Amino acid sequence: MTETGGPSGPEGTETPKPQAGKPAQSQAGEPAQSQAGEPAQSQAGEPAQSQAGEPAQSQAGEPAQSQARADTPPPTQAEASPPSPAPEQQWQSPSGGTPPPPLPSYQPPQQQYPNWKVGLGRPGVIPLRPLNLTDILDGAVTTMRRYWRMVFGAAAVTAVLTAAIDLIGLLLVDTTEDLERLRDLGPAATDQELLNQTLDMLGGTLAASFVSLVATMVGTTLLTGFLTVLMGKAALGKPIVFKDAVKEAAGRLLPLLGLTVLYTLAIMVAAIFCLVPAIIPFTFWALASPALLLERGTVREAFRRSAKLVSGMFWRIFGILLLAAVISAFLAMIITMPFSFGAFMAVFTDPEQVYIPSTGDLILQSVGTVIAQTIVGPFSALVTVILYIDQRMRREGMDIELARAAGIATPPPPQAW
């Protein structure tokens, strides 16, 4: 019992005193209880202490509600979510400013490498990179198509000059009488008579062949000199003037003629003694003519440059030159066949009859030779010049020099670590 006569509270607690003789009650007339057995404050603001001694506070003037009330609404989602951390618990920079932005990830610079199909570009008729067989043959054909007036014009001039010298040689060294004597001998001729007549005819044939060889070398020298200068400009895509190309090539015709004579004699001497060694001078010195014209050196230096460029790729260059020669010979045979129809039919009519060409037949054959050399002659010369450029691009980086001469930006050299 308390001093006021009311019931005593729990053991160890004190009963709050009512204000002005009024008991502490809730609005419903029930005594106010706190959660987990904690007594609520009275209206006078004096706290009622729990067993632990901690006061349970309520709002001023509002009675405390019991935990067991059935009409208490459930907590909302906002109330049920965990509270956000206090501002002082979040990370702050030592100076009190905003945190720095994250560092960007490292990305190496992207380098633009040239396309291997075009290399450093294709300003002219060939791409500026090491060439394959298709590129070499296509470059020769493209040059013939793009500059057809100058190519076929120069080829026609040299072919007419060659055919004229050849025809003059055939008329001067007349083998018609020797052929008629060989035909008149008949089956009753002795072996000695046949041998003597054959040797006489062979001597005249060799003399006519020598004249034809000289004419061929002169024509080849002129055509090679002009086409080499033309190809040097066509690889860069520069405009070509016929007069300027002829003037540039004319200054090197005499050294080029001497080089052509030496080159031809070396092949002939090697072929007489053995066929296999003939391919050695034919291949090693095949690039001497372009080297002489484009590098402006001496004949001896041109032979050395050719051997240096060919070394290590002997069979590749020999195969390409042989393929170009076979293609040229095949096309020339197809073109000249209609102009040699008389000799062709004589073989099938009477194989034992000796064919003696007339002057008209010789002129007709010369016309066919001119047409064939005009169409086919530039092909082999252009293939040789493109091979020279290809070897220099492979060994000496000439593609970079050509790209700079053509105004193409070249990539910087790689830097050492």
Side-chain angles (χ1 to χ4, degrees), residues 44-397:
E46 297 178 359
Q49 297 180 354
S50 63
Q51 293 179 359
E54 297 178 0
Q57 297 179 356
S58 64
Q59 297 180 357
E62 292 184 0
Q65 294 182 357
S66 172
Q67 183 181 5
R69 289 187 59 174
D71 56 352
T72 302
T76 61
Q77 185 176 2
E79 296 175 352
S81 61
S84 60
E88 61 271 7
Q89 296 179 357
Q90 297 180 357
W91 184 89
Q92 293 183 358
S93 62
S95 61
T98 58
L103 296 176
S105 59
Y106 173 75
Q107 295 181 357
Q110 297 181 358
Q111 298 181 0
Q112 299 293 334
Y113 295 99
N115 188 358
W116 70 271
K117 292 184 178 181
V118 295
L120 297 177
R122 187 169 181 168
V125 295
I126 57 174
L128 300 183
R129 60 170 174 80
L131 307 176
N132 52 32
L133 176 61
T134 305
D135 296 328
I136 294 173
L137 299 180
D138 179 72
V141 175
T142 303
T143 306
M144 294 169 64
R145 293 175 57 186
R146 186 174 298 182
Y147 305 98
W148 62 272
R149 287 190 179 94
M150 288 182 284
V151 171
F152 293 126
V157 171
T158 56
V160 169
L161 178 62
T162 303
I165 297 175
D166 192 11
L167 181 60
I168 292 173
L170 290 175
L171 294 177
L172 292 178
V173 184
D174 191 7
T175 59
T176 305
E177 295 182 359
D178 296 331
L179 292 174
E180 292 178 351
R181 291 173 186 173
L182 183 62
R183 182 186 59 182
D184 294 339
L185 289 177
T190 61
D191 295 339
Q192 187 63 35
E193 292 177 347
L194 291 174
L195 180 59
N196 294 335
Q197 191 62 39
T198 303
L199 291 176
D200 293 339
M201 186 181 64
L202 182 60
T205 303
L206 289 177
S209 299
F210 177 77
V211 175
S212 177
L213 179 62
V214 172
T216 302
M217 285 192 298
V218 172
T220 302
T221 301
L222 295 175
L223 184 61
T224 302
F226 176 78
L227 292 180
T228 301
V229 175
L230 185 144
M231 188 65 206
K233 297 181 180 297
L236 300 176
K238 294 184 176 180
I240 303 173
V241 181
F242 183 83
K243 182 179 179 180
D244 296 339
V246 171
K247 183 179 180 180
E248 186 175 351
R252 306 291 293 174
L253 285 182
L254 289 180
L256 183 60
L257 180 60
L259 186 146
T260 304
V261 171
L262 294 176
Y263 179 62
T264 306
L265 290 177
I267 296 175
M268 292 178 60
V269 171
I272 291 173
F273 290 99
C274 185
L275 180 61
V276 176
I279 67 174
I280 296 177
F282 171 76
T283 307
F284 273 115
W285 294 341
L287 307 181
S289 297
L292 178 69
L293 291 169
L294 297 179
E295 297 183 16
R296 299 289 178 175
T298 61
V299 175
R300 187 175 181 180
E301 292 174 351
F303 279 118
R304 288 181 178 178
R305 285 288 294 157
S306 178
K308 182 179 179 180
L309 293 174
V310 173
S311 61
M313 294 186 179
F314 179 87
W315 294 109
R316 177 180 181 270
I317 295 177
F318 171 73
I320 294 175
L321 292 175
L322 181 62
L323 178 62
V326 170
I327 294 174
S328 300
F330 179 74
L331 294 177
M333 182 185 66
I334 294 177
I335 295 172
T336 57
M337 187 177 294
F339 298 92
S340 303
F341 187 75
F344 180 76
M345 293 302 297
V347 173
F348 288 95
T349 55
D350 190 0
E352 296 182 357
Q353 185 71 24
V354 178
Y355 170 70
I356 302 176
S358 61
T359 303
D361 294 337
L362 294 176
I363 295 175
L364 188 62
Q365 292 176 10
S366 298
V367 172
T369 303
V370 168
I371 297 175
Q373 291 299 320
T374 301
I375 298 174
V376 178
F379 180 75
S380 299
L382 291 173
V383 168
T384 304
V385 180
I386 295 175
L387 264 176
Y388 166 79
I389 298 175
D390 173 56
Q391 289 302 111
R392 290 200 60 183
M393 289 193 295
R394 290 175 180 270
R395 294 180 176 273
E396 302 173 357

